[in-house]
Amino acid sequence: MSTVTLQHETDTEWRQPAKGTVAMITLIIAESAIFTIFVVAYLYYIGRDVHGPTPKQVLEIPWANSVCLLSSSLFIMLAEHAIAHGKMAAFKLWWAVTFLLGLIFLVGTGVEWKKLIFEDHLTISTNLFGTTYYSLVGLHAFHVIVGLLLMLVVLVLALLGFVEKKHAERVKTLALYWHFVDVVWIVVFTVVYVVGR
Amino acid sequence: MTITKKRKATQGNFLTSTQELNCATIAAHRNTRPVKSSTSIRGSLAGLALLVGHQAVALAESPTSIFSTLSTPAHETNSIGLFVVIICTAIFAVVAALLGYAFWRFRAGNSDEHEPAQVFGSMQIELSWTIIPVLIVVVLFLATARTLFSIQDAPKPANALNITAVGHQYWWEYHYPEYGIVTANELHIPVATGNGGRVTYIKLTSADVIHSFWVPQLGGKTDMLPNRVNEMWWDPQKAGVYVGQCGQYCGAQHAKMLLRVYVDTPEQFAAWVAGQRKQQTELVADVVDSTSEAVNPSVGQKVFEQQSCINCHAVQGTVANGRFGPDLTHLMSRDTLGAGAIQNTPENLKAWVEDPQQFKPGCLMPAMHLTNKQNLQITAYLQTLK
Amino acid sequence: MGSQTYPVAGGLQTETAPSRHGYLEEIHSWIVTVDHKKLGIMYIVYALLFLVIGGLEAILMRIQLAAPGLHFLEPQTFNRMFTMHGTTMVFLVGMMILFGFGNYLVPLMIGARDMAFPRLNAFSFWMSALAGILLYFSFIGGNGLAGTGTAPDMGWFAYAPLTEKAFSPGHTTDYWTIALLANGIGSIGTSINILATVFCMRTKGMTLMRMPMLPWLYATMSFLTLLAISPLTAAQAMLMIDRYLGGHFFDTQAGGSAILWAHFFWIFGHPEVYVLVLPAFGMASEIIPVFSRKAIFGYPAMVAASVSIGFISLGVWAHHMFTIGLTSYGNAFFTLSTMLVGVPTGIKLFNWLATLWGGKIQYRPPMMFAAAYLIQFLIAGLTGIMLSVSAWDWQLHNSYFVVAHFHYVLVGAIVFMLFSALYYWYPKMTGRMLDEKLAKWHFWLFLIGFHLTFDLMHIPGLLGMPRWIYTYEADRGWGTLNLLISIGGVIQGIAVLIFVYNMVHSYFKGELAGPDPWDAWTLEWATASPPPSYNFATDPVVGSRRPLWDLKHPDDPDSAFE
Ligand code: HEA
Ligand code: HEA
Ligand code: CUA
Ligand SMILES: [Cu+2]
C-alpha cells in the first residue's frame, strides 16, 4: 500500500465541548437518577407509618436555611462572572459569601436534626418517616458537604493567589455542581416540607 | 392493605352471572377459547396453534403442562399465548429464511478480488421495515389487552367461593371464611361447571417473604406479598387433583413448596367441608405421665401439648393454638406432609416428627430431639386427627 | 504528499520483540497504568476469568438438575450457586468485558490518544475489580471460615423482604450489596468517561455522524448506564440503611413495601440488559460489514434505532412484574411499551441483513460467530415478545422458559458476539492471530452445546418447571430434558476450554497479525498491532465513516459522497 494521506482539507475549525463540562453534566444526570429514587421512596411512604411521630407533629419549615442556600446560587453566579472578567478580588468575595451561605445551611440542618433526635425522638430507625426523611435530607446534606469542601479548596487556593482568570472554566464546572445541589433542594423542600407535611 | 385487582363491570362483553360464566367455560373447553365475539381469523389461528402446541408438548406428558388447561383463565391465556407463538414463528420463518439465503447466496468466492458494490441505504426500505413491525405490534397488543382485561377484570359472580391463601416460608395456609375452616397445603375447591358448581376467588397474601401461587393447569401465577392482598380466580371444569408449586424464590426450600389442588364435585366438596368443620376435643388420658410406656393417642396428646409443638401448631378444640406452622386439626385428611414433600403415611409421619430436616433441609420446623417413645406417642395422637 | 501520513505505511510498524525487563516490573506497570489499552485488556482478562468461574457454577447446578431427586448439592448450596452465577455473569463478566472493549476500542476508533480522564479510568477499573473480590470473599467471610460456604443466596434480583435482616441474617447479603455498590461506582465512572471521550476527544473531521457505529452504541450504553445503575446504587444504599441502621425501606413488618424494591430493581434491571446488549450490537455493526465487504446499511437509521432502544427501554421495566398485582391498565401499558422495543431492534436486525445482502461474505471466525449471533438474537427477541404478552406471562413468569429466553440473549447473542469480537480484535491487542482451526472447533462445539442446552430449556418451562429449584419431582416429565440440557452445558464448557487454550497458545505462538489483518476500515487498524502507547504517531484526520476505505480506494472514497 502506498503512503496515502489521512488528511482532508478542513477549513472549518474543529471544536468540541470541554470535557469537564460534559463530565459534570453526565455526573449530574446520574445523581439526578439517584435522587429520583429516594424522592419516589419518600413520596410512596408518606402516611404509611404504623406509628408516629408524623411529619406534621415534628417538622418545621426551614425558611431561613432555604433562603441561604438558594441565594448562594446567585452569589456563585456573581463569582463566575467576576473570574470570567478577571476581577479576582470580587471573585474571592463572592466565592467566600457562597461558601458561608452553604455553611449556614449545613449548620441549620444540623440544628434541625438535633431537635428531631433529642426532643422528638425521631431517628432513622423509628419509623418509615424517619428512615425516608433522614436518608433523603441526609443525601442532600452530603452533597452540600462535598460542594463545600470543593469550594473551600478553591477558596484557599484563591486566597493564596493561585486562582487566575484562566481557571474560569473549572470554576464554572464547580458552580454547575452547586447549582444542581440548589435545584435538588427545591425538590427536597417541596417533597418533604410541602407535600409531605 | 390494598386490593389491587380492580373489577370493572363496564366492559360490555364481560360475563355477568355464574350461569353465563358456566356456559362460557363449557364452551371454552370445547372449542378451546372463550365465547367472545372475536375475529374468526384469530379464532382459527388460536385453534391451529393449540393443535401445534399440543403436538409439540405431547412428547413429554406432564401434569403441570401449561397446555392442558382446565379453567377459563388458563384457556384464555393459552389461546393468546399460542396466537403470539404463531405470529412470532411466522416472523422467524421469514427473517431466518432471508438471513439463511443471504448467508449462502452472498458467500465470497475464492478467487474474487473485487469489492462488491457499496450500498449505503435506502429510505423506502427503512420505512417499510419500520411500519410493518409497528402494525404487528399493534395487533399483538390489542389481542393481549383483550385477554388481559377479560381475565383480570372479570366480574365476580355472587355465589363465588372466597378463599384466602397465605404463603409461609415453604408451606401454604388456607382460610375459608364462609365455613370458618383453616387448613394447610392441600386446597379443596368445587368444580365450577354443572349443578352446584362455583367459581373460586382466592385472595393471596404472605406472612413473610414473597411467594407465588401457581397451578399451571388452572391458570397463571399470582404473587403473594406481605402487606398486600392480590386476588385471582379459577373455574375448574373437571374434578381431579392438580399440582403446582411456588413460583417465586422464597428461601432454602422454595423447591419443595409444592402445591396440590383437589377439585371436588359439589358432593365431595360438601363432605370435605363437613369433615373440616369438626372440632377435635381433648382426649381423656388414661395415664397423664408423658414418660409412660403406653403408646396411645391420649398419652400422645399430652406429650404433644407438653412439647413446644403447640407454640407453632394449632389443633382446633385443644390448647394447641400456634400459628407459625401448618394447622394440624385435620392432618389425616391430607395426602402429603410438608407441602407435598412426602406422602402422609404413619412411618413418614413419625420420621417427619423426628427430624423434618431429613426431608426438607432448611425448612423452618426444627428436629425436636424427642425420644423414640415420645415420637411414637405423638404419632399415635396425630393419627387421630382425622 | 500531505504532512500526515498513514502511520503504518510511514514505517512505524516495527516487529520488536517485547523487551525483557523483569516480570515484577511488568506487573507493576500494569497495576499503575492509566493507559486505556492496558486497562481494557485487564477488564477483559478479569471478565474471562469470571466467565470460567460463573460457568463452573452453572455446571454444578446443571449436574444437580440432571435428574430428579439428586443429592449432589445441598439445597442452600444450590441457591448460592445461582445467585453467584447470575451476579457474576451480569456484573463481573458482562459489564466488565463490555467496558473492557469500550476502553480499548472507543479512543482508537475515534482517533484519540486516550480516554478523556485516564486516572478516573484506572480508578473505575479497580473499583469494579474490587467488587469481584468482595463478592467472592463472602464464601469465606459470610459466616465465618471453614467451608460454611455462605455466599449470598437470595437470587440475583434479591427481592425484599428476603434480604432483610429478619430473613437473611449474617453478612452474605452485605457482601453482595457492597460488591454491587463498588461495581456500580466503577460503572458510573467509566460511563462518564466514555461519554466525555466520545463527545470531546474525536479526532479532526470526525463529526458525530462520521463516528463508527461502535462508539455510538457505547455512548448510548453509557447514557443508559448512568440512568440505570444509579437507581440500583440508590436502592442498594437503602438496603444497607435497612440492614445496618435499622431503617424500614423494605421492612414489611413496619409498613415497608416489597413491591417498591421490585420496581427499583427492575428500573435498573431492565435497562441493564440493554446495557449489556448494546455494545454487542456495536461489535456486530463493525464486524458484519467488514466480512461482508460492504459499508453498513442505513447508518443513520442504525444510529436512530440504537438511541430509541435506549429511550424506550427506560419505560418497560414492569414486564418483570406482571404477576405482582399491577392493575390491568398497568399490565397493558407495559405490554405495549415492551413490544415497541421490538421495532427499533427489528430495524437493526434488518439493516444487518441488508448489509449482508449483495456482499461477499467471508466466513472467518469472527463472522461465523456473528452469523450465529444474528439467528440466535432473532429467536431470543421473539421469545421476549412472547413473554411481553402479560396474560401469557402469568404462566411463563419465573419458569424455565424465561431462563431459556434470557440465556438465548445473554449467551446466544452477547457471548457469541463477544467471542466474535475477541477473534476480531485479539490481533490488534496482542499482535498475533488466533488459530483458525481451534476456532472452528470452538465455534461448532459451542454452537452445538448452546443449542442443546438452551433450545431444550424452553420446554420444561412450558411444562411448568419453575426457576430456582434445586430438585424436582420425578412425575413431572422434566427429567430427560434436563439431562440433555446438562450435557449441553458441559459441551459449552469444553468449547470454552478450547478457546482459553487458543488464547494462551496464540499469545506466544500465533501468526503475526500486522496492523490490518482483516482489511478493515476503521481507525484502530491504521496503527500498529498492538498500538503504541500514544496510539497514533500523528493525529489522523478523517473525511468519512470509513477512513481506511478512503485510503485504500483513493479512486472511490466514501468522503466523496458525504
Ligand atoms: C441482553 C439481554 C436481554 C435482551 C436484549 C432482552 C430483550 C427482550 N426481552 Fe428479555 N430478559 C433478559 C435479558 C434480555 N432481554 C433477562 C436477563 C431476563 C430475566 C431476568 C430475571 O428474571 O432474572 C429477561 C426477562 C424478560 C421478561 C420477563 C419475563 C418474566 O420474568 O416473566 C420479558 C417480558 O416481557 C422480556 C422481554 C424482552 C423483550 C420483548 C425483548 C426485546 O428487546 C427483544 C426485541 C427483539 C426482537 C423482537 C427480534 C427482532 C425484531 C424483528 C425481527 C422485528 C419484527 C418483530 C416484531 C414486530 C415483534 N424479557
Ligand atoms: C451473561 C450471563 C450468563 C451466562 C453467560 C450464563 C451461562 C450459563 N448459564 Fe446462566 N444465568 C444467568 C446469566 C448467565 N448464564 C443469570 C442472570 C441467571 C439468573 C440467576 C438468578 O436467578 O438469580 C442465570 C441462571 C441460570 C440457571 C437457572 C438457575 C435456577 O434458576 O435454578 C441455569 C440452569 O441451568 C443456568 C445455566 C447456565 C449455563 C449452563 C450456562 C453456560 O452457557 C455456561 C458455559 C460456560 C462454561 C461452562 C464456562 C467454562 C468452564 C470451563 C472452561 C471449565 C471447564 C468446565 C467443564 C469442562 C464443564 N443459568
Ligand atoms: Cu414460596 Cu418460593
Ligand atoms: Cu426486561
Side-chain angles (χ1 to χ4, degrees):
Chain A
M1 193 178 302
S2 66
T3 314
V4 188
T5 164
L6 246 183
Q7 184 170 42
H8 295 262
E9 301 321 320
T10 38
D11 306 329
T12 47
E13 209 187 328
W14 187 237
R15 292 201 54 186
Q16 294 175 98
K19 56 186 187 179
T21 317
V22 170
M24 186 51 78
I25 291 172
T26 46
L27 180 71
I28 286 175
I29 292 173
E31 295 267 32
S32 310
I34 293 183
F35 273 107
T36 308
I37 294 298
F38 275 90
V39 166
V40 168
Y42 194 94
L43 290 171
Y44 186 86
Y45 282 137
I46 288 174
R48 291 188 187 230
D49 279 309
V50 256
H51 57 76
T54 64
K56 243 205 153 56
Q57 291 164 346
V58 295
L59 281 192
E60 281 154 28
I61 297 185
W63 286 118
N65 244 353
S66 307
V67 170
C68 283
L69 190 65
L70 297 185
S71 60
S72 75
S73 247
L74 294 179
F75 288 104
I76 206 166
M77 268 155 80
L78 291 177
E80 285 173 63
H81 191 78
I83 192 168
H85 291 80
K87 298 179 189 148
M88 292 320 294
F91 169 73
K92 283 176 214 165
L93 175 65
W94 298 134
W95 196 257
V97 171
T98 312
F99 178 79
L100 275 181
L101 287 171
L103 201 62
I104 296 174
F105 172 85
L106 200 61
V107 172
T109 305
V111 172
E112 185 184 359
W113 283 25
K114 183 159 174 266
K115 168 192 168 281
L116 288 174
I117 294 171
F118 293 105
E119 288 173 29
D120 304 318
H121 304 291
L122 177 77
T123 66
I124 197 162
S125 60
T126 306
N127 57 10
L128 278 170
F129 165 50
T131 305
T132 50
Y133 169 82
Y134 285 108
S135 23
L136 180 57
V137 175
L139 185 66
H140 179 260
F142 171 73
H143 282 78
V144 174
I145 293 173
V146 171
L148 286 179
L149 286 177
L150 293 173
M151 288 201 296
L152 187 62
V153 172
V154 175
L155 186 63
V156 170
L157 290 178
L159 290 177
L160 295 176
F162 291 118
V163 179
E164 296 164 30
K165 185 179 172 187
K166 66 174 188 225
H167 297 114
E169 191 69 41
R170 296 189 193 183
V171 167
K172 252 198 156 65
T173 309
L174 184 50
L176 201 58
Y177 174 84
W178 192 250
H179 291 310
F180 167 71
V181 171
D182 275 5
V183 171
V184 169
W185 180 249
I186 299 179
V187 176
V188 172
F189 183 87
T190 317
V191 166
V192 174
Y193 298 96
V194 181
V195 181
R197 212 165 132 270
Chain B
M1 301 244 230
T2 44
I3 295 181
T4 51
K5 296 203 174 170
K6 282 184 295 180
R7 227 155 273 101
K8 282 240 157 50
T10 46
Q11 255 81 358
N13 58 355
F14 283 170
L15 309 157
T16 44
S17 75
T18 338
Q19 198 80 69
E20 260 182 79
L21 188 59
N22 286 341
C23 299
T25 50
I26 295 163
H29 192 41
R30 221 179 289 120
N31 49 8
T32 68
R33 60 193 194 79
V35 185
K36 293 272 170 52
S37 54
S38 82
T39 61
S40 57
I41 303 166
R42 181 165 103 71
S44 44
L45 268 181
L48 179 71
L50 251 190
L51 231 136
V52 176
H54 274 305
Q55 288 303 335
V57 181
L59 301 166
E61 205 47 56
S62 168
T64 44
S65 166
I66 67 170
F67 295 112
S68 36
T69 57
L70 286 158
S71 82
T72 305
H75 287 321
E76 296 195 9
T77 307
N78 216 6
S79 342
I80 180 66
L82 291 166
F83 172 68
V84 179
V85 170
I86 298 251
I87 295 213
C88 287
T89 313
I91 298 176
F92 170 74
V94 173
V95 182
L98 289 171
L99 276 172
Y101 177 76
F103 286 152
W104 176 79
R105 170 72 182 71
F106 300 111
R107 68 195 189 283
N110 284 337
S111 54
D112 204 352
E113 284 292 298
H114 294 287
E115 300 280 25
Q118 301 293 308
V119 185
F120 291 90
S122 148
M123 200 56 197
Q124 281 96 324
I125 295 188
E126 297 290 348
L127 271 179
S128 69
W129 63 45
T130 311
I131 290 168
I132 295 172
V134 169
L135 295 178
I136 299 177
V137 164
V138 169
V139 172
L140 288 179
F141 168 67
L142 291 178
T144 308
R146 267 181 49 126
T147 311
L148 179 67
F149 284 100
S150 101
I151 297 177
Q152 207 175 342
D153 296 348
K156 182 173 181 171
N159 76 338
L161 171 66
N162 288 299
I163 296 176
T164 302
V166 186
H168 290 260
Q169 270 181 323
Y170 331 133
W171 62 280
W172 314 89
E173 176 184 344
Y174 305 117
H175 297 261
Y176 295 67
E178 198 176 318
Y179 303 113
I181 297 174
V182 180
T183 178
N185 292 337
E186 296 178 0
L187 181 67
H188 284 255
I189 57 173
V191 281
T193 51
N195 232 350
R198 292 170 78 180
V199 181
T200 303
Y201 271 71
I202 309 176
K203 287 197 163 60
L204 301 152
T205 186
S206 164
D208 36 49
V209 301
I210 306 181
H211 306 272
S212 194
F213 199 68
W214 188 26
V215 182
Q217 289 183 292
L218 297 179
K221 58 182 79 59
T222 307
D223 292 355
M224 303 169 129
L225 298 116
N227 244 346
R228 182 187 172 99
V229 178
N230 285 330
E231 193 168 20
M232 62 184 250
W233 59 276
W234 286 334
D235 58 345
Q237 283 138 15
K238 222 173 98 199
V241 184
Y242 303 109
V243 291
Q245 67 192 82
C246 179
Q248 174 63 53
Y249 179 64
C250 52
Q253 275 297 345
H254 162 68
K256 288 214 176 141
M257 189 161 167
L258 305 174
L259 184 48
R260 299 168 72 84
V261 176
Y262 293 69
V263 174
D264 297 335
T265 61
E267 302 77 49
Q268 286 170 331
F269 184 68
W272 179 81
V273 167
Q276 298 291 308
R277 297 180 77 167
K278 222 170 54 199
Q279 291 242 322
Q280 305 292 355
T281 46
E282 298 278 352
L283 303 175
V284 184
D286 321 337
V287 195
V288 185
D289 179 7
S290 65
T291 54
S292 149
E293 290 299 302
V295 174
N296 64 40
S298 46
V299 177
Q301 179 171 25
K302 284 289 162 287
V303 181
F304 180 78
E305 286 169 2
Q306 284 159 8
Q307 301 301 329
S308 55
C309 308
I310 58 170
N311 291 338
C312 298
H313 292 287
V315 177
Q316 304 296 311
T318 73
V319 299
N321 63 358
R323 283 269 152 250
F324 184 73
D327 188 298
L328 299 180
T329 314
H330 299 283
L331 182 64
M332 286 304 121
S333 71
R334 306 209 267 269
D335 290 336
T336 60
L337 293 175
I342 44 171
Q343 292 299 310
N344 186 359
T345 62
E347 305 77 61
N348 277 347
L349 181 58
K350 172 161 178 281
W352 174 276
V353 175
E354 268 169 20
D355 183 9
Q357 301 293 325
Q358 61 185 307
F359 301 112
K360 250 177 127 167
C363 81
L364 296 188
M365 170 164 162
M368 302 299 294
H369 300 296
L370 305 179
T371 64
N372 191 40
K373 184 98 265 163
Q374 288 170 315
N375 284 330
L376 283 169
Q377 290 163 330
I378 290 182
T379 313
Y381 167 62
L382 291 179
Q383 279 174 267
T384 67
L385 301 177
K386 298 238 161 53
Chain C
M1 200 88 325
S3 56
Q4 280 144 327
T5 50
Y6 188 32
V8 177
L12 265 168
Q13 172 69 354
T14 43
E15 297 298 350
T16 46
S19 56
R20 303 212 173 273
H21 45 163
Y23 66 93
L24 272 181
E25 255 172 77
E26 180 74 26
I27 290 175
H28 181 253
S29 81
W30 284 85
I31 289 176
V32 298
T33 188
V34 294
D35 176 3
H36 73 102
K37 295 182 292 302
K38 284 192 164 181
L39 285 166
I41 290 173
M42 288 206 289
Y43 267 112
I44 292 171
V45 171
Y46 193 84
L48 288 175
L49 185 77
F50 276 106
L51 175 69
V52 171
I53 297 177
L56 277 173
E57 285 159 350
I59 296 299
L60 293 180
M61 287 194 285
R62 287 315 321 170
I63 296 175
Q64 166 69 21
L65 289 175
L70 293 186
H71 292 284
F72 177 69
L73 295 181
E74 296 282 304
Q76 282 295 50
T77 315
F78 184 90
N79 298 344
R80 294 187 175 113
M81 285 304 124
F82 67 67
T83 306
M84 293 299 270
H85 167 75
T87 312
T88 305
M89 287 296 195
V90 170
F91 293 98
L92 301 179
V93 180
M95 292 300 273
M96 297 285 277
I97 203 163
L98 295 171
F99 278 137
F101 275 106
N103 254 306
Y104 197 95
L105 294 173
V106 169
L108 279 170
M109 282 192 159
I110 62 173
R113 300 221 154 152
D114 206 326
M115 297 282 275
F117 306 102
R119 264 181 296 249
L120 172 65
N121 203 12
F123 168 77
S124 303
F125 169 75
W126 290 106
M127 275 310 270
S128 307
L130 178 68
I133 294 165
L134 280 171
L135 189 64
Y136 276 83
F137 184 72
S138 66
F139 270 109
I140 33 182
N143 251 354
L145 282 162
T148 39
T150 49
D153 61 353
M154 65 291 174
W156 88 281
F157 45 80
Y159 266 5
L162 191 59
T163 46
E164 291 287 299
K165 269 264 187 283
F167 302 105
S168 293
H171 292 299
T172 60
T173 309
D174 303 329
Y175 280 106
W176 182 84
T177 306
I178 37 177
L180 293 202
L181 274 173
N183 191 274
I185 291 170
S187 300
I188 292 174
T190 309
S191 301
I192 291 177
N193 218 337
I194 289 179
L195 283 168
T197 310
V198 165
F199 285 120
C200 314
M201 309 284 287
R202 278 165 290 125
T203 192
K204 202 166 182 193
M206 184 168 289
T207 57
L208 282 176
M209 288 316 269
R210 277 185 197 154
M211 210 161 60
M213 282 308 293
L214 186 132
W216 256 115
L217 280 144
Y218 267 93
T220 317
M221 172 258 208
S222 302
F223 196 73
L224 212 50
T225 307
L226 294 182
L227 292 175
I229 298 275
S230 311
L232 178 71
T233 305
Q236 301 284 18
M238 291 177 183
L239 185 57
M240 286 315 260
I241 290 173
D242 275 13
R243 291 183 62 90
Y244 276 111
L245 302 177
H248 304 291
F249 279 110
F250 310 115
D251 175 5
T252 45
Q253 319 281 312
S257 165
I259 292 198
L260 203 62
W261 170 271
H263 276 297
F264 290 168
F265 186 86
W266 291 118
I267 284 174
F268 146 76
H270 185 83
E272 166 70 13
V273 303
Y274 289 90
V275 164
L276 294 175
V277 88
L278 286 176
F281 288 172
M283 294 162 180
S285 304
E286 297 303 330
I287 291 169
I288 291 172
V290 166
F291 290 92
S292 312
R293 309 308 305 156
K294 272 181 69 205
I296 186 94
F297 191 89
Y299 174 93
M302 284 297 245
V303 170
S306 316
V307 176
S308 44
I309 290 175
F311 273 107
I312 301 177
S313 71
L314 290 170
V316 306
W317 75 87
H319 66 215
H320 297 274
M321 300 163 63
F322 283 143
T323 64
I324 215 164
L326 303 174
T327 62
S328 43
Y329 292 98
N331 282 334
F333 173 82
F334 284 104
T335 296
L336 180 60
S337 64
T338 303
M339 286 177 173
L340 278 179
V341 183
V343 176
T345 317
I347 295 179
K348 297 206 74 94
L349 201 72
F350 294 129
N351 277 297
W352 287 320
L353 173 63
T355 306
L356 296 170
W357 209 268
K360 290 182 178 166
I361 308 170
Q362 302 167 337
Y363 290 102
R364 308 289 299 277
M367 190 59 203
M368 292 162 74
F369 281 94
Y373 153 87
L374 286 175
I375 297 271
Q376 283 152 197
F377 181 66
L378 172 67
I379 298 175
L382 291 172
T383 55
I385 296 293
M386 297 177 198
L387 290 169
S388 72
V389 175
S390 42
W392 209 34
D393 186 68
W394 293 333
Q395 288 281 19
L396 296 176
H397 180 61
N398 287 351
S399 76
Y400 261 84
F401 191 88
V402 174
V403 181
H405 156 70
F406 69 72
H407 282 91
Y408 233 97
V409 211
L410 291 168
V411 183
I414 297 174
V415 172
F416 267 77
M417 206 58 233
L418 283 171
F419 284 140
S420 172
L422 281 162
Y423 281 105
Y424 186 66
W425 280 293
Y426 184 92
K428 180 56 47 186
M429 295 175 183
T430 62
R432 288 176 191 271
M433 304 295 285
L434 283 165
D435 186 273
E436 292 218 9
K437 209 162 168 181
L438 287 174
K440 291 211 165 105
W441 275 100
H442 170 209
F443 173 74
W444 288 109
L445 275 178
F446 199 70
L447 191 78
I448 292 167
F450 167 79
H451 284 282
L452 192 56
T453 303
F454 296 115
D455 292 7
L456 292 183
M457 202 183 261
H458 291 89
I459 304 174
L462 296 173
L463 297 180
M465 180 167 173
R467 305 162 66 173
W468 308 301
I469 54 172
Y470 70 91
T471 191
Y472 48 94
E473 305 293 296
D475 68 356
R476 299 288 160 94
W478 307 333
T480 323
L481 288 164
N482 271 296
L483 178 63
L484 293 171
I485 293 170
S486 299
I487 294 173
V490 174
I491 299 180
Q492 290 177 61
I494 296 169
V496 174
L497 275 183
I498 295 178
F499 178 64
V500 170
Y501 172 77
N502 195 354
M503 296 237 295
V504 177
H505 178 82
S506 302
Y507 184 79
F508 299 104
K509 300 260 164 67
E511 194 188 316
L512 289 176
D516 185 14
W518 311 111
D519 192 6
W521 302 312
T522 38
L523 281 178
E524 78 271 29
W525 306 105
T527 180
S529 304
S533 61
Y534 43 84
N535 289 354
F536 300 98
T538 51
D539 282 339
V541 179
V542 298
S544 81
R545 279 170 211 145
R546 296 192 296 171
L548 297 207
W549 171 278
D550 293 359
L551 272 176
K552 296 168 186 173
H553 303 267
D555 43 322
D556 176 29
D558 280 5
S559 49
F561 296 95
E562 281 176 20

